[in-house]
Protein backbone atom coordinates (compact mmCIF):
# COMPACT_ATOMS: atom_id res chain seq x y z
CA UNK A 1 0.00 0.00 0.00
CA UNK A 2 1.45 3.38 -0.92
CA UNK A 3 1.75 6.15 1.65
CA UNK A 4 -1.09 8.08 0.03
CA UNK A 5 -3.57 5.24 -0.38
CA UNK A 6 -3.44 4.63 3.37
CA UNK A 7 -5.60 7.74 3.59
CA UNK A 8 -8.40 6.35 1.41
CA UNK A 9 -10.88 4.41 3.47
CA UNK A 10 -12.77 1.57 1.76
CA UNK A 11 -16.14 2.47 3.25
CA UNK A 12 -18.96 4.82 2.30
CA UNK A 13 -18.10 7.47 -0.29
CA UNK A 14 -18.06 11.04 1.00
CA UNK A 15 -17.61 13.97 -1.39
CA UNK A 16 -15.38 16.80 -0.20
CA UNK A 17 -15.80 20.09 -2.01
CA UNK A 18 -13.03 22.63 -1.75
CA UNK A 19 -14.09 26.25 -1.23
CA UNK A 20 -10.77 27.69 -0.05
CA UNK A 21 -9.90 29.41 -3.31
CA UNK A 22 -13.27 31.25 -3.15
CA UNK A 23 -14.65 31.46 0.41
CA UNK A 24 -11.09 31.51 1.77
CA UNK A 25 -9.21 33.80 -0.57
CA UNK A 26 -12.05 36.35 -0.89
CA UNK A 27 -11.49 37.24 2.77
CA UNK A 28 -7.74 37.77 2.46
CA UNK A 29 -6.28 41.23 2.15
CA UNK A 30 -3.34 39.92 0.15
CA UNK A 31 -3.94 39.38 -3.56
CA UNK A 32 -2.71 35.91 -4.38
CA UNK A 33 -1.06 36.16 -7.82
CA UNK A 34 -3.02 34.43 -10.59
CA UNK A 35 -0.33 31.79 -11.40
CA UNK A 36 -0.30 30.79 -7.72
CA UNK A 37 -4.11 30.50 -7.66
CA UNK A 38 -3.93 28.31 -10.77
CA UNK A 39 -1.22 26.16 -9.17
CA UNK A 40 -3.29 25.78 -6.00
CA UNK A 41 -6.40 24.69 -7.91
CA UNK A 42 -4.30 22.22 -9.92
CA UNK A 43 -2.84 20.84 -6.69
CA UNK A 44 -6.35 20.49 -5.24
CA UNK A 45 -7.51 18.65 -8.37
CA UNK A 46 -4.59 16.25 -7.99
CA UNK A 47 -5.42 15.81 -4.30
CA UNK A 48 -8.78 14.23 -5.20
CA UNK A 49 -11.38 16.85 -4.30
CA UNK A 50 -14.78 15.98 -5.81
CA UNK A 51 -15.65 19.60 -6.54
CA UNK A 52 -13.70 22.85 -6.38
CA UNK A 53 -15.38 26.24 -6.06
CA UNK A 54 -12.62 27.90 -8.02
CA UNK A 55 -13.58 31.56 -7.76
CA UNK A 56 -16.45 34.08 -7.84
CA UNK A 57 -17.69 36.15 -10.75
CA UNK A 58 -18.57 39.16 -8.65
CA UNK A 59 -17.80 42.83 -8.97
CA UNK A 60 -14.01 43.26 -8.95
CA UNK A 61 -14.57 46.41 -6.88
CA UNK A 62 -16.51 44.46 -4.25
CA UNK A 63 -13.98 41.60 -4.06
CA UNK A 64 -10.65 42.62 -5.59
CA UNK A 65 -9.02 39.38 -4.36
CA UNK A 66 -10.97 37.47 -7.04
CA UNK A 67 -10.72 39.96 -9.89
CA UNK A 68 -8.84 37.38 -11.99
CA UNK A 69 -11.74 34.89 -12.12
CA UNK A 70 -11.70 34.49 -15.93
CA UNK A 71 -7.99 33.92 -16.14
CA UNK A 72 -7.96 31.36 -13.31
CA UNK A 73 -10.72 29.27 -14.88
CA UNK A 74 -9.04 29.50 -18.26
CA UNK A 75 -5.64 28.37 -17.05
CA UNK A 76 -6.38 25.56 -14.61
CA UNK A 77 -5.80 21.99 -15.72
CA UNK A 78 -9.17 20.26 -15.58
CA UNK A 79 -9.37 16.75 -14.20
CA UNK A 80 -12.32 14.95 -15.80
CA UNK A 81 -13.68 13.67 -12.50
CA UNK A 82 -13.65 17.07 -10.75
CA UNK A 83 -16.56 19.52 -10.94
CA UNK A 84 -15.33 23.11 -11.29
CA UNK A 85 -17.84 25.46 -9.74
CA UNK A 86 -18.01 29.26 -9.40
CA UNK A 87 -20.05 31.59 -7.26
CA UNK A 88 -22.22 34.04 -9.20
CA UNK A 89 -24.33 36.85 -7.67
CA UNK A 90 -26.29 37.90 -10.76
CA UNK A 91 -26.89 37.39 -14.50
CA UNK A 92 -23.72 39.30 -15.35
CA UNK A 93 -21.72 36.91 -13.18
CA UNK A 94 -23.50 33.91 -14.72
CA UNK A 95 -22.63 35.02 -18.24
CA UNK A 96 -18.98 35.50 -17.27
CA UNK A 97 -18.87 32.09 -15.56
CA UNK A 98 -20.51 30.29 -18.48
CA UNK A 99 -18.15 31.98 -20.95
CA UNK A 100 -15.30 30.71 -18.75
CA UNK A 101 -16.71 27.17 -18.88
CA UNK A 102 -17.62 26.73 -15.23
CA UNK A 103 -19.26 23.30 -14.75
CA UNK A 104 -21.65 24.61 -12.13
CA UNK A 105 -22.93 27.99 -10.94
CA UNK A 106 -23.29 28.49 -7.20
CA UNK A 107 -26.02 31.02 -6.40
CA UNK A 108 -26.38 32.60 -2.99
CA UNK A 109 -29.18 33.93 -0.85
CA UNK A 110 -29.87 33.98 2.86
CA UNK A 111 -32.48 32.03 4.76
CA UNK A 112 -33.19 35.11 6.88
CA UNK A 113 -34.46 38.52 5.83
CA UNK A 114 -32.04 40.48 8.04
CA UNK A 115 -28.96 38.72 6.69
CA UNK A 116 -30.16 38.87 3.09
CA UNK A 117 -30.83 42.60 3.32
CA UNK A 118 -27.54 43.32 5.13
CA UNK A 119 -25.41 41.19 2.85
CA UNK A 120 -27.11 41.38 -0.54
CA UNK A 121 -29.09 44.66 -0.11
CA UNK A 122 -32.30 42.97 -1.29
CA UNK A 123 -35.28 41.27 0.30
CA UNK A 124 -35.29 37.49 0.03
CA UNK A 125 -38.09 37.67 -2.56
CA UNK A 126 -36.04 40.08 -4.65
CA UNK A 127 -33.03 37.78 -4.35
CA UNK A 128 -35.11 34.78 -5.33
CA UNK A 129 -36.43 36.58 -8.41
CA UNK A 130 -32.80 37.35 -9.33
CA UNK A 131 -31.80 33.72 -8.80
CA UNK A 132 -34.65 32.67 -11.12
CA UNK A 133 -33.18 34.85 -13.89
CA UNK A 134 -29.72 33.42 -13.30
CA UNK A 135 -31.09 29.87 -13.26
CA UNK A 136 -32.82 30.51 -16.59
CA UNK A 137 -29.53 31.68 -18.13
CA UNK A 138 -27.78 28.59 -16.74
CA UNK A 139 -30.49 26.28 -18.04
CA UNK A 140 -30.20 27.85 -21.49
CA UNK A 141 -26.49 27.09 -21.46
CA UNK A 142 -26.90 23.59 -20.02
CA UNK A 143 -24.93 24.47 -16.88
CA UNK A 144 -25.91 23.04 -13.50
CA UNK A 145 -27.13 25.27 -10.68
CA UNK A 146 -26.52 24.92 -6.96
CA UNK A 147 -28.12 27.28 -4.47
CA UNK A 148 -26.35 28.10 -1.20
CA UNK A 149 -28.67 29.18 1.58
CA UNK A 150 -26.75 31.29 4.09
CA UNK A 151 -27.68 31.31 7.78
CA UNK A 152 -29.61 28.04 7.48
CA UNK A 153 -28.74 27.11 11.07
CA UNK A 154 -28.84 30.47 12.78
CA UNK A 155 -28.60 34.16 11.97
CA UNK A 156 -26.22 36.57 13.71
CA UNK A 157 -29.03 39.14 13.78
CA UNK A 158 -32.22 37.08 14.14
CA UNK A 159 -30.90 34.18 16.23
CA UNK A 160 -32.59 30.81 15.78
CA UNK A 161 -33.88 30.09 12.29
CA UNK A 162 -37.03 28.02 11.89
CA UNK A 163 -36.13 24.84 10.03
CA UNK A 164 -39.57 24.65 8.35
CA UNK A 165 -38.83 28.03 6.77
CA UNK A 166 -35.41 26.84 5.61
CA UNK A 167 -37.01 23.76 4.04
CA UNK A 168 -39.56 25.97 2.25
CA UNK A 169 -36.71 27.91 0.61
CA UNK A 170 -35.01 24.61 -0.28
CA UNK A 171 -38.26 23.49 -1.90
CA UNK A 172 -38.51 26.65 -3.99
CA UNK A 173 -34.90 26.26 -5.12
CA UNK A 174 -35.39 22.64 -6.15
CA UNK A 175 -38.89 22.86 -7.59
CA UNK A 176 -39.06 26.40 -9.02
CA UNK A 177 -35.44 27.05 -9.97
CA UNK A 178 -34.63 23.47 -10.97
CA UNK A 179 -31.50 23.53 -8.82
CA UNK A 180 -29.67 20.20 -8.95
CA UNK A 181 -28.11 20.96 -5.58
CA UNK A 182 -28.71 22.92 -2.40
CA UNK A 183 -26.10 23.88 0.17
CA UNK A 184 -27.16 24.54 3.74
CA UNK A 185 -24.64 27.09 5.01
CA UNK A 186 -23.76 27.66 8.61
CA UNK A 187 -22.39 31.06 7.73
CA UNK A 188 -21.39 32.19 11.21
CA UNK A 189 -20.85 28.89 13.01
CA UNK A 190 -24.17 28.65 14.87
CA UNK A 191 -25.07 25.07 13.90
CA UNK A 192 -24.95 22.29 16.48
CA UNK A 193 -25.03 18.53 15.90
CA UNK A 194 -28.59 17.59 16.89
CA UNK A 195 -29.99 20.47 14.83
CA UNK A 196 -27.81 19.46 11.87
CA UNK A 197 -29.04 15.87 12.07
CA UNK A 198 -32.67 16.95 12.11
CA UNK A 199 -32.39 19.31 9.11
CA UNK A 200 -30.29 16.82 7.14
CA UNK A 201 -32.81 14.02 7.70
CA UNK A 202 -35.73 16.26 6.75
CA UNK A 203 -34.00 17.39 3.54
CA UNK A 204 -32.98 13.87 2.53
CA UNK A 205 -36.51 12.57 3.11
CA UNK A 206 -38.11 15.27 0.92
CA UNK A 207 -35.58 15.56 -1.92
CA UNK A 208 -33.68 12.25 -2.11
CA UNK A 209 -32.58 12.99 -5.69
CA UNK A 210 -31.10 16.43 -4.98
CA UNK A 211 -27.45 16.95 -4.10
CA UNK A 212 -27.31 18.18 -0.52
CA UNK A 213 -24.15 19.91 0.69
CA UNK A 214 -23.41 20.99 4.24
CA UNK A 215 -21.23 24.06 4.62
CA UNK A 216 -19.91 24.59 8.13
CA UNK A 217 -17.68 27.23 9.63
CA UNK A 218 -15.65 26.36 12.67
CA UNK A 219 -16.44 29.61 14.48
CA UNK A 220 -17.48 27.95 17.71
CA UNK A 221 -15.46 24.76 17.46
CA UNK A 222 -18.39 22.59 16.34
CA UNK A 223 -17.34 22.07 12.73
CA UNK A 224 -16.18 18.45 12.82
CA UNK A 225 -18.95 17.45 15.25
CA UNK A 226 -21.48 18.88 12.79
CA UNK A 227 -19.92 16.98 9.89
CA UNK A 228 -20.17 13.70 11.82
CA UNK A 229 -23.78 14.39 12.82
CA UNK A 230 -24.70 15.16 9.19
CA UNK A 231 -22.97 11.96 7.98
CA UNK A 232 -24.94 9.86 10.45
CA UNK A 233 -28.12 11.56 9.22
CA UNK A 234 -27.41 10.61 5.59
CA UNK A 235 -25.38 13.51 4.16
CA UNK A 236 -22.44 12.73 1.88
CA UNK A 237 -21.19 16.15 0.66
CA UNK A 238 -19.31 18.79 2.55
CA UNK A 239 -17.73 22.10 1.71
CA UNK A 240 -14.39 22.71 3.39
CA UNK A 241 -11.35 24.90 2.91
CA UNK A 242 -7.76 23.74 2.82
CA UNK A 243 -5.73 25.23 5.62
CA UNK A 244 -9.06 26.09 7.28
CA UNK A 245 -8.78 29.55 5.73
CA UNK A 246 -11.65 31.99 5.40
CA UNK A 247 -13.65 34.34 7.54
CA UNK A 248 -13.38 38.09 7.45
CA UNK A 249 -10.08 39.14 9.04
CA UNK A 250 -11.79 42.26 10.47
CA UNK A 251 -14.89 40.66 12.00
CA UNK A 252 -14.45 39.75 15.67
CA UNK A 253 -14.62 36.00 16.22
CA UNK A 254 -15.01 35.22 12.54
CA UNK A 255 -13.38 32.01 11.43
CA UNK A 256 -12.79 29.90 8.43
CA UNK A 257 -14.63 26.98 6.96
CA UNK A 258 -14.08 23.57 8.42
CA UNK A 259 -10.60 22.53 7.35
CA UNK A 260 -10.47 20.09 4.40
CA UNK A 261 -7.45 18.16 5.63
CA UNK A 262 -8.86 17.85 9.17
CA UNK A 263 -12.10 16.41 7.77
CA UNK A 264 -10.30 14.16 5.27
CA UNK A 265 -7.96 12.90 8.01
CA UNK A 266 -10.75 12.16 10.49
CA UNK A 267 -13.04 10.51 7.94
CA UNK A 268 -10.27 8.33 6.51
CA UNK A 269 -9.48 7.05 10.01
CA UNK A 270 -13.17 6.21 10.40
CA UNK A 271 -13.09 4.20 7.15
CA UNK A 272 -14.93 6.60 4.82
CA UNK A 273 -13.71 6.93 1.23
CA UNK A 274 -13.20 10.66 0.65
CA UNK A 275 -11.10 10.18 -2.48
CA UNK A 276 -8.50 12.48 -0.92
CA UNK A 277 -4.76 11.98 -1.20
CA UNK A 278 -3.88 13.47 2.18
CA UNK A 279 -0.15 14.09 1.65
CA UNK A 280 -0.94 16.00 -1.55
CA UNK A 281 -3.65 18.03 0.15
CA UNK A 282 -1.29 18.85 3.02
CA UNK A 283 1.37 19.96 0.56
CA UNK A 284 -1.15 22.34 -1.05
CA UNK A 285 -2.25 23.75 2.33
CA UNK A 286 1.36 24.20 3.42
CA UNK A 287 1.85 26.67 0.56
CA UNK A 288 -0.82 29.01 1.90
CA UNK A 289 0.99 30.94 4.69
CA UNK A 290 3.60 32.30 2.27
CA UNK A 291 0.86 33.34 -0.18
CA UNK A 292 -1.58 34.97 2.26
CA UNK A 293 0.99 36.34 4.68
CA UNK A 294 -0.17 34.68 7.88
CA UNK A 295 -0.46 31.38 9.70
CA UNK A 296 -3.36 29.00 8.92
CA UNK A 297 -5.68 27.28 11.42
CA UNK A 298 -5.11 23.74 10.10
CA UNK A 299 -4.27 21.43 12.98
CA UNK A 300 -3.09 18.70 10.62
CA UNK A 301 -0.56 20.99 8.96
CA UNK A 302 0.67 21.91 12.46
CA UNK A 303 0.60 18.50 14.15
CA UNK A 304 0.89 16.10 11.21
CA UNK A 305 -1.34 13.08 10.62
CA UNK A 306 -2.05 10.80 13.57
CA UNK A 307 0.64 8.23 12.82
CA UNK A 308 3.43 10.63 11.90
CA UNK A 309 5.53 9.33 14.74
CA UNK A 310 8.31 11.07 16.57
CA UNK A 311 11.65 9.48 17.53
CA UNK A 312 12.11 8.42 21.13
CA UNK A 313 14.42 10.68 23.17
CA UNK A 314 18.12 10.27 22.34
CA UNK A 315 18.82 8.97 25.88
CA UNK A 316 15.85 6.59 25.78
CA UNK A 317 17.94 3.47 26.59
CA UNK A 318 19.56 5.22 29.56
CA UNK A 319 16.09 6.24 30.81
CA UNK A 320 14.91 2.64 30.53
CA UNK A 321 17.98 1.29 32.35
CA UNK A 322 17.57 3.79 35.17
CA UNK A 323 13.88 2.93 35.50
CA UNK A 324 14.59 -0.79 35.62
CA UNK A 325 17.45 -0.31 38.11
CA UNK A 326 14.95 1.38 40.45
CA UNK A 327 12.36 -1.36 40.06
CA UNK A 328 13.46 -4.50 38.19
CA UNK A 329 9.95 -5.96 38.54
CA UNK A 330 8.65 -3.29 36.17
CA UNK A 331 10.22 -5.00 33.13
N1 LIG B 1 -19.27 40.94 -12.41
C1 LIG B 1 -18.57 42.08 -12.61
N2 LIG B 1 -19.00 43.28 -12.24
C2 LIG B 1 -20.19 43.35 -11.65
C3 LIG B 1 -20.97 42.21 -11.41
C4 LIG B 1 -20.47 40.97 -11.81
N3 LIG B 1 -21.12 39.82 -11.60
N4 LIG B 1 -22.11 42.59 -10.81
C5 LIG B 1 -22.06 43.91 -10.66
N5 LIG B 1 -20.89 44.38 -11.16
C6 LIG B 1 -20.40 45.74 -11.16
C7 LIG B 1 -21.23 46.66 -11.99
O1 LIG B 1 -20.76 46.67 -13.32
C8 LIG B 1 -21.03 47.98 -11.32
O2 LIG B 1 -19.77 48.49 -11.70
P1 LIG B 1 -19.54 50.08 -11.88
O3 LIG B 1 -19.64 50.63 -10.49
O4 LIG B 1 -18.17 50.15 -12.45
O5 LIG B 1 -20.62 50.52 -12.79
C9 LIG B 1 -20.92 47.60 -9.85
O6 LIG B 1 -20.51 46.23 -9.83
C10 LIG B 1 -22.24 47.71 -9.12
O7 LIG B 1 -23.19 47.07 -9.90
P2 LIG B 1 -24.77 47.05 -9.63
O8 LIG B 1 -25.46 46.49 -10.81
O9 LIG B 1 -25.21 48.37 -9.07
O10 LIG B 1 -24.89 45.93 -8.64
P3 LIG B 1 -24.97 45.96 -7.13
O11 LIG B 1 -24.31 47.10 -6.48
O12 LIG B 1 -26.35 45.62 -6.82
O13 LIG B 1 -23.99 44.70 -7.00
C11 LIG B 1 -23.19 42.70 -6.18
C12 LIG B 1 -24.12 43.84 -6.01
C13 LIG B 1 -23.65 41.66 -5.16
C14 LIG B 1 -23.24 42.08 -7.54
C15 LIG B 1 -21.75 43.16 -5.94
O14 LIG B 1 -21.70 44.01 -4.82
C16 LIG B 1 -20.84 42.01 -5.68
O15 LIG B 1 -20.36 41.39 -6.61
N6 LIG B 1 -20.56 41.71 -4.38
C17 LIG B 1 -19.82 40.57 -3.94
C18 LIG B 1 -20.74 39.65 -3.17
C19 LIG B 1 -19.98 38.46 -2.63
O16 LIG B 1 -19.27 37.79 -3.33
N7 LIG B 1 -20.12 38.20 -1.33
C20 LIG B 1 -19.45 37.12 -0.71
C21 LIG B 1 -20.03 35.78 -1.03
S1 LIG B 1 -21.63 35.54 -0.40
ZN1 LIG C 1 -18.96 30.19 4.10
Amino acid sequence: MSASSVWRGAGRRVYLQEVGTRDGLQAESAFVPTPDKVALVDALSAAGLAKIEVTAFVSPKAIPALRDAEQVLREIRRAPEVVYSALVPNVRGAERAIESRADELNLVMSATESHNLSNLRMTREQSFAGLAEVAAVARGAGVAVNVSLSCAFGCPMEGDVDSAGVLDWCGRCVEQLGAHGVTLCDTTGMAYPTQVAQLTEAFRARWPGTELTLHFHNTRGMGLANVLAALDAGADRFDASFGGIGGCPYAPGASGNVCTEEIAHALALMGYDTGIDLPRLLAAAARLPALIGHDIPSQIVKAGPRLDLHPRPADFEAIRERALARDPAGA
Side-chain angles (χ1 to χ4, degrees), residues 107-120 122-125 127-128 131 147-173 182-188 190 195 199:
L107 283 43
V108 189
M109 68 172 282
S110 283
T112 70
E113 196 73 358
S114 306
H115 191 262
N116 205 77
L117 275 165
S118 313
N119 213 35
L120 303 172
M122 287 183 270
T123 66
R124 287 175 296 178
E125 287 301 340
S127 276
F128 189 79
L131 299 195
V147 180
S148 286
L149 274 179
S150 304
C151 298
F153 299 94
C155 171
M157 287 158 277
E158 295 183 17
D160 277 326
V161 176
D162 174 35
S163 53
V166 173
L167 291 168
D168 284 347
W169 284 110
C170 294
R172 291 182 65 180
C173 293
V182 172
T183 302
L184 297 174
C185 298
D186 182 28
T187 311
T188 62
M190 295 173 73
Q195 172 200 35
L199 202 51

Side-chain angles (χ1 to χ4, degrees), residues 244-298:
I245 58 171
C248 174
Y250 306 107
S255 89
N257 298 92
V258 290
C259 171
T260 315
E261 56 270 23
E262 288 177 12
I263 304 294
H265 176 263
L267 297 190
L269 291 173
M270 295 171 75
Y272 290 100
D273 175 14
T274 63
I276 299 288
D277 181 328
L278 192 67
R280 281 191 167 168
L281 178 57
L282 284 170
R287 294 162 75 169
L288 284 169
L291 293 171
I292 60 180
H294 58 82
D295 194 14
I296 51 176
S298 172

Side-chain angles (χ1 to χ4, degrees), residues 19-105:
V19 297
T21 53
R22 200 279 301 169
D23 208 348
L25 293 188
Q26 80 179 6
E28 295 297 336
S29 45
F31 178 80
V32 174
T34 309
D36 291 310
K37 287 189 182 118
V38 171
L40 287 175
V41 173
D42 288 348
L44 292 165
S45 295
L49 274 304
K51 191 185 281 189
I52 301 175
E53 190 166 299
V54 177
T55 186
F57 287 90
V58 294
S59 156
K61 280 188 204 145
I63 307 213
L66 302 181
R67 61 178 184 261
D68 53 2
E70 272 88 357
Q71 209 182 332
V72 174
L73 262 187
R74 191 166 54 239
E75 292 180 8
I76 55 171
R77 214 173 315 122
R78 299 186 186 223
E81 64 282 6
V82 180
V83 173
Y84 296 92
S85 172
L87 183 139
V88 304
N90 52 21
V91 168
R92 169 98 187 275
E95 287 164 352
R96 292 173 59 204
I98 291 164
E99 176 71 27
S100 303
R101 296 193 302 115
D103 296 324
E104 177 195 88
L105 307 187

